[in-house]
Amino acid sequence: MAVASSLSTLPIFTPLLARASFSATPSFSRSPFMRHKSIPVLPCISICSDRVFRDFQLLAAMETGATAQSDAEARAGVAVYKPASYDVLISDAVRSLCYALDENKSRLEIDFPPLPSSISGYKGSSDEFIDANIQLVLALIRKLHEKRGISSRVVFPDKPEKKRATRVFKSTLELVNGVSFGSLDDIPGDGGKSFLKSLQSALDLDFSNEEEVKWQNEGNPALYFFVGCSTSELPAVETYVNTFAAEVPVVLFNLELDTLRADLGLFGFPSKDLHYRFLSQFLPVFYIRTREYSKTIAAAPFVVDYTGALFRMYPGPWQVMLKQGDGSYVCVAESSDRFSLGQTKEELLAALGLQEEKGSTMDFLRRGYKNTTWWEDDVEKEESMSWRS
């Protein structure tokens, strides 16, 4: 029997979260999953409570886009997450962003899959990935302006990218208020830019046109969004922030920072100090990192495929979410501090009843000697803990 079909027939259970009291040290809490010794099956849990009723009310609200929450509910996180559309995703991101701005947070990150597929900035068509992110950030800016009247500036890696976005999204821009475009080329001098960008400035090449000038930098925005930047452009992002947005909130929008961090320190890329000094300042306010896993077991179907996500909707806690057959994500663990990628996988295995006995040979062979990344380990070198909180 195909694994995908077997997982799709798993019973949808009533979500029930055991909330933990958070302290300065990481404290994980898990939902009351029953563990099966051989085949991972999530049983139906027939428990009725006010909490469960509220969770299903919230799920219904998310599916209709009406996701009004009290402050206490927002800080408690969600038991089930199943947005009906990208419009709902953007609305949730705006809500989380507003919470952070109200708390005077100024270095922020928003990261979620911009396309309903495995395509990312490093797979498939990069133009498709970039265009999806531009469309999404413009939708977010429109909602943010309607909600708070905040003016925003979208910052692109260079002038050609800005020019292309102006041309491709001309009709969309006519409908969005409070938005302007900028680029890393606006930094005085070379600003840490690449040789080609420095050459462009030296030759005084001007790629602007009348339409682009219409969306040029005008006035001082209240919020900056950076889109489409690669690892090699992160030093220029830091310089831009220090130059133009030292006292203004900044959002790194769908830059896939965990992927970019992996290149830091490699030959030809910025040093790891960029994370310790700069990237560690950015608080994830809306974060969905999905991953697909496989696990070999000793009984049919022998190979189990499962999907999970590391999830955060500020001011709620960090949550490990397990994908169900109906496409919803259900919380199986949560913490006040960020889960490492290895911890996320461990919590998913524990929820499915597939975790080997602690300290056993099989546990060591599967986990290996090290299952964390350098940026997850180097706590003492970081100038800020915001990216973990």
Side-chain angles (χ1 to χ4, degrees):
M1 179 174 63
V3 176
S5 61
S6 65
L7 288 181
S8 64
T9 58
L10 291 177
I12 305 303
F13 63 95
T14 302
L16 183 65
L17 284 177
R19 299 292 170 187
S21 58
F22 301 132
S23 60
T25 57
S27 175
F28 302 163
S29 66
R30 292 174 179 160
S31 298
F33 284 86
M34 296 176 62
R35 310 289 197 257
H36 196 285
K37 293 184 178 180
S38 57
I39 303 176
V41 175
L42 302 181
C44 291
I45 303 176
S46 56
I47 301 176
C48 182
S49 67
D50 291 339
R51 165 73 197 191
V52 172
F53 180 68
R54 288 196 301 271
D55 288 337
F56 278 109
Q57 280 186 321
L58 179 58
L59 177 59
M62 285 179 176
E63 291 177 341
T64 60
T67 52
Q69 291 177 272
S70 68
D71 184 74
E73 288 173 333
R75 296 183 185 280
V78 297
V80 183
Y81 193 67
K82 187 184 179 183
S85 65
Y86 271 96
D87 185 67
V88 177
L89 269 176
I90 292 298
S91 296
D92 291 338
V94 169
R95 187 178 306 107
S96 297
L97 180 57
C98 288
Y99 268 107
L101 294 176
D102 288 344
E103 295 178 0
N104 296 319
K105 308 294 185 182
S106 61
R107 299 294 177 257
L108 310 167
E109 178 190 0
I110 294 176
D111 200 341
F112 59 88
L115 295 169
S117 68
S118 61
I119 297 176
S120 73
Y122 309 94
K123 304 175 185 176
S125 171
S126 59
D127 283 347
E128 185 178 358
F129 176 83
I130 293 171
D131 288 350
N133 277 324
I134 296 173
Q135 186 174 3
L136 290 168
V137 77
L138 290 177
L140 189 151
I141 289 172
R142 179 181 61 82
K143 287 180 178 289
L144 190 61
H145 189 269
E146 292 174 353
K147 187 180 181 72
R148 294 291 183 89
I150 295 176
S151 62
S152 304
R153 178 164 301 156
V154 181
V155 182
F156 295 91
D158 50 41
K159 286 184 178 179
E161 287 286 349
K162 181 175 70 169
K163 177 182 177 181
R164 179 182 178 277
T166 304
R167 183 183 71 253
V168 173
F169 295 95
K170 176 182 176 181
S171 58
T172 303
L173 287 169
E174 298 289 349
L175 303 175
V176 180
N177 295 320
V179 62
S180 61
F181 281 177
S183 77
L184 297 179
D185 289 336
D186 298 333
I187 302 172
D190 62 15
K193 296 180 288 184
S194 68
F195 171 75
L196 290 179
K197 293 179 182 177
S198 300
L199 181 62
Q200 174 187 320
S201 299
L203 296 177
D204 196 25
L205 298 179
D206 186 6
F207 294 100
S208 63
N209 55 29
E210 292 183 2
E211 287 299 328
E212 184 182 357
V213 171
K214 184 177 179 180
W215 306 104
Q216 282 284 11
N217 306 343
E218 295 181 0
N220 297 317
L223 189 60
Y224 286 86
F225 288 87
F226 289 83
V227 298
C229 299
S230 65
T231 308
S232 60
E233 289 158 339
L234 289 178
V237 172
E238 180 184 20
T239 303
Y240 189 103
V241 170
N242 292 337
T243 303
F244 298 108
E247 305 296 331
V248 181
V250 170
V251 179
L252 303 183
F253 186 83
N254 281 356
L255 295 190
E256 297 189 348
L257 286 186
D258 281 343
T259 302
L260 302 189
R261 285 186 178 102
D263 292 332
L264 296 178
L266 299 179
F267 179 75
F269 290 95
S271 68
K272 294 179 180 180
D273 188 59
L274 182 66
H275 165 73
Y276 305 140
R277 180 185 66 249
F278 181 62
L279 297 182
S280 62
Q281 300 177 28
F282 285 81
L283 171 73
V285 293
F286 189 75
Y287 184 97
I288 306 174
R289 181 189 176 104
T290 59
R291 285 294 181 270
E292 296 178 353
Y293 303 97
S294 294
K295 169 69 176 176
T296 303
I297 58 177
F302 302 109
V303 177
V304 176
D305 294 332
Y306 60 100
T307 300
L310 180 58
F311 178 83
R312 208 287 173 81
M313 187 157 62
Y314 193 82
W318 286 95
Q319 298 179 281
V320 177
M321 312 292 275
L322 179 64
K323 188 175 183 179
Q324 301 295 287
D326 66 343
S328 63
Y329 284 83
V330 179
C331 178
V332 298
E334 60 185 29
S335 171
S336 57
D337 294 326
R338 183 179 186 138
F339 290 89
S340 70
L341 301 182
Q343 289 170 338
T344 300
K345 185 176 181 180
E346 290 299 317
E347 294 296 342
L348 292 170
L349 287 172
L352 290 167
L354 296 175
Q355 200 173 35
E356 282 88 2
E357 183 181 352
K358 290 290 185 181
S360 66
T361 302
M362 288 302 298
D363 180 53
F364 175 79
L365 292 175
R366 183 180 63 78
R367 290 165 54 95
Y369 174 73
K370 184 178 178 63
N371 65 344
T372 56
T373 61
W374 62 262
W375 61 88
E376 292 170 334
D377 288 338
D378 296 348
V379 180
E380 68 283 353
K381 297 182 180 180
E382 295 172 352
E383 295 184 11
S384 173
M385 296 286 288
S386 294
W387 83 283
R388 298 176 183 270
S389 59

